Amino acid sequence: MAISELELPSGVVTHSLPDPDQLARVLADRVAEALRYAINNHGCASLVVSGGRSPIAFFEALSTRQLDWAKVQVSLADERWVDVNDADSNEGLVRRHLLQNTAADAQMLGLYQPAETLEEAARLAGQRLNDLRQPIDVLVLGMGSDGHTASLFPNSPLLAQGIDPDGAAHCLPMRAPVNPEQRISMTYSLLASARVQCLAIQGSAKLETLCQAMQLETWQMPIRAFLHSPLEIYWCP
């Protein structure tokens, strides 16, 4: 299956790249362009990214792009509730691979907060995001094979609140269904406010997941909530 064969809603733009390195470079160019536009027109810019292994090449490519990084805020679509020095920390990953080179001057607004409970940590993370420039200028999402994005997982107890387009909360406490880790996730209402929304995926299995998502309800595959304009999908085999 090719990404051009997917029956996506009008206004969703797709980009098919030959390999992961090319995807990383093209996506980095697009994100840098959008951040530069925001800086030039608004004096600052906000960027929200996702963690995991897949974005590393993109982070490293973006870190070399020339723009006024001191005027860029960087945050995360979701985070594991672990210290930033933990190997599983998304913030730690971003600091190691994105906040380097020319991007070293960017401001990091992490979601991890030390607290007595995950619920309190999520509340504190939401307060922290009051400092994030909104609407978000650029959002870069990933997607799991189960159709989750950020830490909005199918059938999660708080998913209905997390995907509510009118929800007031910036963050919610969430748990992954497999090896249930405690996580903090930005909500759909905040993520979907982004002016530029990108989804980066690799492999034929992820195309099959997108195809399934178009036939299912959002609570079954939360990525479905984002499959509308102005989404840009970047894919490679």
Side-chain angles (χ1 to χ4, degrees):
M1 176 184 292
I3 195 167
S4 59
E5 297 175 36
L6 293 181
E7 295 184 6
L8 295 165
S10 175
V12 175
V13 179
T14 61
H15 303 267
S16 181
L17 289 311
D19 55 61
D21 286 342
Q22 188 71 4
L23 186 154
R25 290 194 294 271
V26 171
L27 182 57
D29 287 342
R30 173 65 177 117
V31 170
E33 173 191 40
L35 292 174
R36 195 174 294 114
Y37 177 89
I39 292 169
N40 291 340
N41 287 275
H42 306 291
C44 58
S46 53
L47 168 66
V48 172
V49 297
S50 301
R53 295 180 183 176
S54 298
I56 289 177
F58 158 65
F59 290 158
E60 293 181 346
L62 183 59
S63 76
T64 66
R65 298 306 188 259
Q66 296 295 324
L67 60 137
D68 192 347
W69 282 101
K71 296 179 179 177
V72 177
Q73 296 175 315
V74 179
S75 193
L76 288 152
D78 67 322
E79 178 62 281
R80 295 174 178 86
W81 193 36
V82 295
D83 185 83
V84 297
N85 295 314
D86 190 287
D88 289 332
S89 168
N90 284 339
E91 180 176 342
L93 183 86
V94 169
R95 288 187 179 277
R96 290 191 300 275
H97 296 283
L98 175 56
L99 301 192
Q100 59 171 335
N101 301 318
T102 60
D105 290 334
Q107 177 191 5
M108 184 78 211
L109 294 178
L111 298 185
Y112 169 75
Q113 299 290 330
E116 291 294 322
T117 65
L118 177 63
E119 290 72 21
E120 176 66 7
R123 187 186 68 80
L124 293 172
Q127 289 183 347
R128 179 78 170 108
L129 291 178
N130 289 331
D131 295 331
L132 180 69
R133 169 178 158 74
Q134 299 175 39
I136 296 164
D137 289 299
V138 187
L139 168 67
V140 182
L141 292 171
M143 181 190 69
S145 58
D146 61 354
H148 85 265
T149 192
S151 280
L152 302 172
F153 291 96
N155 302 311
S156 294
L158 293 179
L159 182 60
Q161 187 177 347
I163 59 177
D164 182 355
D166 299 316
H170 287 332
C171 290
L172 287 175
M174 304 295 284
R175 290 180 185 271
V178 180
N179 297 323
E181 299 172 313
Q182 295 180 312
R183 300 191 183 206
I184 296 169
S185 182
M186 285 190 183
T187 56
Y188 174 78
S189 58
L190 176 58
L191 293 168
S193 74
R195 293 186 169 94
V196 174
Q197 300 176 31
C198 303
L199 172 64
I201 54 174
Q202 300 179 21
S204 58
K206 292 296 177 75
L207 290 189
E208 289 291 344
T209 299
L210 277 184
C211 185
Q212 293 173 29
M214 290 303 302
Q215 313 304 319
L216 298 173
E217 300 294 334
T218 300
W219 62 268
Q220 296 171 299
M221 282 193 170
I223 190 63
R224 179 69 179 83
F226 294 89
L227 298 181
H228 57 74
S229 180
L231 185 67
E232 303 173 21
I233 303 177
Y234 292 77
W235 175 82
C236 70

